[in-house]
Amino acid sequence: MMTIKVKLALDAGHGINTPGKRIPLELDPKGTREWTLNNRVCNYIEEFLKDYIGVSLIRLDDRTGKRDVPLKERTDKANAWGADILLSQHHNAGARLTNAGGVTVYVFNGSLLPKTLEYQKKLYDQLIKHTGLKGNRASPLQRANFHMLRESRCSAILPENGFMDSRVDAPIILTDRFARQVAQANVEFLVNEFKLERKQARFNTDKVEFVGTIKVPSLNVRDAGTVTGTKVLRTLSKGDPVIVYAVHKNWYMIGQDEWI
């Protein structure tokens, strides 16, 4: 029986038709909605967490985005479920066609559970590590009286993953690459904090075929994974050339028993 190490309440802020929550047309002719960006991040978090054991997850928003679920309904759901941590994904506004921007992470400005400020800093550090979107905001770690933070009985964190109305941030946060980086940052934070273990890959390594040569990517490097019971023995650095024999999601088999 699997032991649950963390119950995660995950939230894509707003709904797809929430007024005003979109990238300005001057920066994006499509006027991409904030929920679309938030949802993409949440979907990648869910996808990446499937590689780990010990995590249970619920979504608090409407996955279609068509219904902007009332905030009370969201926190009531998380509280009734007994969530250990709540992550409400957002993208900011307020730079208004300037070069200002960057990632900002919020927690409640009232009394907090002991680990909440620690979580805030650790998640922010992971976001900067993975995205590099530090920006020039004076207070990247902020506190506010937001409902999602105030009414959650667990530690609640609300990252604003860049500014939708910033000339610098908008082109970046529109990319799928950025959404994956944000998701990877969230997952790495959860893995480190709650000691989540990666599932073992199970493949028939007798039938692998040569795929090609790649250089070790900057993200998702597995230097201690296991496949068919054998651990990776070597340490790899970004840019190292490796021969690939099989690919599974974002895993690359570089030898009969070695994965990155």
Side-chain angles (χ1 to χ4, degrees), residues 25 63 209 244:
L25 295 176
R63 290 176 180 273
E209 297 180 358
V244 177

Side-chain angles (χ1 to χ4, degrees), residues 52-115:
Y52 294 88
I53 59 176
V55 57
S56 182
L57 182 149
I58 59 168
R59 284 282 291 265
L60 305 178
D61 59 305
D62 173 14
R63 290 176 180 273
T64 70
K66 295 178 181 178
R67 178 173 175 251
D68 190 350
V69 179
L71 299 183
K72 184 177 186 304
E73 184 177 328
R74 300 186 194 216
T75 52
D76 283 352
K77 182 177 181 180
N79 292 338
W81 185 59
D84 296 310
I85 187 169
L86 186 153
L87 297 177
S88 184
Q89 302 296 328
H90 286 256
H91 291 73
N92 217 335
R96 196 55 198 171
L97 303 183
T98 71
N99 293 332
V103 169
T104 306
V105 180
Y106 283 87
V107 294
F108 180 44
N109 63 3
S111 61
L112 295 169
L113 293 173
K115 279 191 168 287

Side-chain angles (χ1 to χ4, degrees), residues 179-240:
R180 293 178 66 91
Q181 290 171 335
V182 170
Q184 199 70 51
N186 279 262
V187 169
E188 189 165 330
F189 157 71
L190 293 166
V191 168
N192 292 342
E193 193 60 37
F194 296 99
K195 307 297 186 259
L196 301 180
E197 298 178 9
R198 180 176 291 281
K199 296 176 182 177
Q200 290 190 358
R202 300 288 183 183
F203 299 97
N204 183 352
T205 57
D206 294 331
K207 297 182 179 180
V208 298
E209 297 180 358
F210 173 72
V211 173
T213 302
I214 66 165
K215 292 186 176 180
V216 175
S218 59
L219 301 176
N220 306 329
V221 175
R222 318 302 195 214
D223 60 5
T226 48
V227 58
T228 61
T230 303
K231 290 189 175 182
V232 172
L233 301 178
R234 56 179 137 167
T235 299
L236 299 168
S237 300
K238 176 183 175 182
D240 288 349

Side-chain angles (χ1 to χ4, degrees), residues 146-158:
F146 298 153
H147 176 98
M148 296 298 295
L149 305 176
R150 182 185 66 248
E151 300 300 326
S152 298
R153 294 176 190 159
C154 61
S155 291
I157 317 293
L158 192 152

